[in-house]
Amino acid sequence: MAALQVVMAQTSTAVMATILAPSVVPNYTTSESGNPFIDGWYADPDCAQYHGTYWVYPTSSYEYDKQTYLDAFSSPDLVHWTKHPDVLTTANFSWATRAVWAPAPIARNGKYYLYFAANDIQETDTIVGGIGVGMSDRPEGPYFDPIGEPLIGAYHNGAQPIDQAVFIDDDGQAYMYYGGHSHANVVKLNEDMISLGILDSSGTQFKEITPTNYVEGPLMFKRNGTYYLMWSEGGWGGPDYAVSYAMSSSPLGPFNRVARILQQDPAVAVGSGHNGVINIPSTDIWYVVYHRRPLSETEENHRVLAYDRMYFNADGTIRPIVMLVKDNFEDGDMVGWTSYGGSFAVSNGELTTGSSLGGMALLDTNFTDLVYDADVTISTLPGFADGDAGLVFRVTNATVGVDGYSGYYVGVATAGKVILGKADGGGWTELGSASMTVTAGTQYHVRVRAVGSEMLVYVDDMASPKINITDSSYRGGKDGVRVYGVAASFDNVSVAKP
């Protein structure tokens, strides 16, 4: 299941001359417009940066017999995405009949190449399958078969021929890293990118480079002269799927495991693996792009795409990746949110809703201790004396209704106050309030800091809490926004650990 790399970080000088830097420099701490950053069940993302545009090529995450096509997504800024369906289909590859996955893109000699695994062949199989290559004149395809058969169609050194990643070194030499069933190989690609070369004078084509704990999904990138091999550990269908890495002075290794850097966070998502890396051209800004499973999903193939910032220490080692939760709605959608009444939609870069008795929208999170920030604007005051809008947290048992949930709520109220209370699936108890001026059309920055039973509420002034109470009714659950009797909008949502 393929890795993800940005061509600017991989290609030779000659190739890089044809690939222009983007006009926008995405300098984010995470996907600021929300993870997942595209809609739908996708996995195994790989990407490239072509002519100022970022391209993501994922697996369509369905059962194998339905997994017969690959989509792509393009963006000028890693925020606004355009879908390009069916860039590669089995109809254009006579030998590929099912289980097409893990696309790996790269460009060379004016052509675009997309490598993929097909048919899920096993070591004792006699069927045709393995790693194929498609070629096109355009990043969005369609990709056609230039060789009429798999590029690698058999096991070597125990490695299942899947999960390829392609890397072009500074000297122009292209390499492919691949392998499932807990074995990894490296091969050289010839200049034509559709045939294999020789690794050494003895005629070796396939060199095993399997690091400790390797399972699948290798990725190669280079930074400051150091080669980084990343891979996935654990079972792809389970919560323990994770990413580790090694560092080497050579593209051929040895690759000694350094550490695990991306793993499940029970507050955010599980099954976080099969990663790739984006380096923003001409910067030291790096992202890890990967798939993960939302907390409420139990189906193995219900995987989504996410990215978070990747930071390096002074010695070149990689810091552990933190899966952050943010949404500034600049992408124009509310992917990842579930609404319960309220007519929620994104408009002008904000999450908006009409007047509703108990409308609510929730993220699929499960924070216990948290710092929750958001901007809240009450857009109308329709004469509803107790109308309010604000944030819900530690929510369970969500349904449509006035107090159709169990959890806590902080609201900015039309009566001129901020309130903190709790619902119990139909009943409401106010726990604390503080007077403040509330004006229609004014944006208020609301923060909740909840650690254990202590809850602090801030509005605009982040130094002095307006409410400070203790309550131990609820310990964890989802986070989101809510309205009662007003129309409102929400922006710049951020949920983090204290």
Side-chain angles (χ1 to χ4, degrees):
M1 298 175 183
L4 172 128
Q5 63 269 4
V6 169
V7 171
M8 287 294 291
Q10 302 173 350
T11 54
S12 66
T13 302
V15 174
M16 290 174 72
T18 68
I19 302 175
L20 308 178
S23 58
V24 176
V25 178
N27 189 4
Y28 314 134
T29 59
T30 180
S31 177
E32 302 284 334
S33 290
N35 280 320
F37 62 87
I38 59 174
D39 194 15
W41 304 127
Y42 290 100
D44 316 328
D46 199 352
C47 78
Q49 193 270 314
Y50 298 136
H51 309 293
T53 299
Y54 298 96
W55 289 79
V56 172
Y57 299 82
T59 297
S60 296
S61 189
Y62 298 98
E63 60 189 72
Y64 280 171
D65 288 333
K66 295 180 179 179
Q67 204 170 284
T68 58
Y69 66 94
L70 297 170
D71 295 334
F73 298 84
S74 63
S75 172
D77 54 11
L78 300 183
V79 174
H80 304 91
W81 295 93
T82 299
K83 182 177 179 178
H84 305 270
D86 299 333
V87 299
L88 185 149
T89 70
T90 56
N92 289 328
F93 295 80
S94 61
W95 58 271
T97 58
R98 65 192 295 265
V100 177
W101 78 73
I106 205 160
R108 191 165 206 169
N109 302 326
K111 297 291 185 180
Y112 299 90
Y113 300 89
L114 197 60
Y115 302 81
F116 61 95
N119 296 354
D120 189 32
I121 65 169
Q122 305 300 305
E123 193 160 13
T124 58
D125 281 349
T126 58
I127 64 172
V128 175
I131 295 172
V133 55
M135 186 169 68
S136 179
D137 294 324
R138 304 180 301 172
E140 65 271 32
Y143 286 84
F144 297 99
D145 190 350
I147 59 177
E149 60 185 359
L151 179 61
I152 301 176
Y155 280 62
H156 299 275
N157 304 319
Q160 186 186 25
I162 62 169
D163 289 12
Q164 64 295 318
V166 181
F167 166 79
I168 301 178
D169 207 350
D170 297 333
D171 62 2
Q173 178 60 60
Y175 299 89
M176 178 186 289
Y177 302 82
Y178 77 92
H181 292 179
S182 300
H183 290 275
N185 287 335
V186 60
V187 298
K188 280 185 177 180
L189 291 170
N190 291 324
E191 178 76 18
D192 62 11
M193 302 299 286
I194 59 173
S195 61
L196 301 184
I198 301 300
L199 287 170
D200 55 42
S201 58
S202 67
T204 301
Q205 273 194 312
F206 300 89
K207 179 182 179 180
E208 183 165 10
I209 54 167
T210 307
T212 302
N213 290 356
Y214 175 91
V215 173
E216 60 191 13
L219 164 77
M220 171 59 66
F221 72 93
K222 189 176 183 180
R223 176 182 180 270
N224 295 341
T226 297
Y227 298 87
Y228 292 79
L229 181 70
M230 307 178 84
W231 64 88
S232 292
E233 302 177 351
W236 72 269
D240 62 338
Y241 207 46
V243 174
S244 292
Y245 78 104
M247 302 165 65
S248 180
S249 60
S250 167
L252 302 179
F255 296 107
N256 297 315
R257 185 180 187 273
V258 176
R260 174 179 288 187
I261 56 165
L262 176 65
Q263 57 189 328
Q264 65 170 317
D265 184 342
V268 180
V270 299
S272 52
H274 206 123
N275 80 295
V277 168
I278 292 177
N279 172 224
I280 306 304
S282 303
T283 77
D284 200 32
I285 298 171
W286 298 77
Y287 298 97
V288 60
V289 185
Y290 59 99
H291 72 241
R292 65 195 198 190
R293 187 170 294 103
L295 296 178
S296 63
E297 296 292 341
T298 57
E299 163 60 42
E300 287 184 332
N301 279 311
H302 284 185
R303 297 172 289 176
V304 297
L305 301 187
Y307 69 85
D308 285 286
R309 189 69 172 261
M310 184 167 69
Y311 299 97
F312 294 82
N313 297 310
D315 63 358
T317 55
I318 304 173
R319 301 178 193 174
I321 305 298
V322 178
M323 291 194 286
L324 296 180
V325 177
K326 292 187 176 183
D327 202 336
N328 63 11
F329 306 104
E330 291 301 317
D331 57 359
D333 62 47
M334 53 183 295
V335 173
W337 293 79
T338 301
S339 58
Y340 300 83
S343 302
F344 284 92
V346 176
S347 177
N348 298 320
E350 295 183 329
L351 181 61
T352 63
T353 183
S355 180
S356 171
L357 293 180
M360 184 168 55
L362 297 177
L363 292 163
D364 196 354
T365 51
N366 189 22
F367 280 85
T368 53
D369 297 342
L370 57 78
V371 177
Y372 183 7
D373 286 87
D375 295 328
V376 180
T377 303
I378 297 177
S379 57
T380 59
L381 301 176
F384 203 93
D386 295 322
D388 46 69
L391 318 181
V392 287
F393 59 102
R394 296 180 178 172
V395 169
T396 58
N397 306 315
T399 61
V400 176
V402 175
D403 295 310
Y405 65 100
S406 298
Y408 297 105
Y409 170 61
V410 170
V412 176
T414 61
K417 60 182 179 178
V418 56
I419 58 173
L420 169 61
K422 62 183 178 181
D424 61 4
W428 166 259
T429 302
E430 185 174 301
L431 300 173
S433 67
S435 298
M436 60 176 285
T437 300
V438 178
T439 305
T442 298
Q443 186 178 82
Y444 300 96
H445 186 78
V446 179
R447 172 177 293 171
V448 177
R449 180 182 173 88
V451 179
S453 61
E454 182 183 55
M455 285 171 275
L456 307 178
V457 176
Y458 304 80
V459 181
D460 291 338
D461 178 2
M462 298 297 107
S464 302
K466 289 187 175 295
I467 301 174
N468 184 344
I469 64 101
T470 58
D471 187 87
S472 57
S473 299
Y474 306 112
R475 192 66 186 95
K478 298 184 179 183
D479 310 287
V481 298
R482 179 179 180 269
V483 294
Y484 176 76
V486 297
S489 61
F490 306 89
D491 203 358
N492 300 315
V493 170
S494 172
V495 189
K497 295 178 181 178

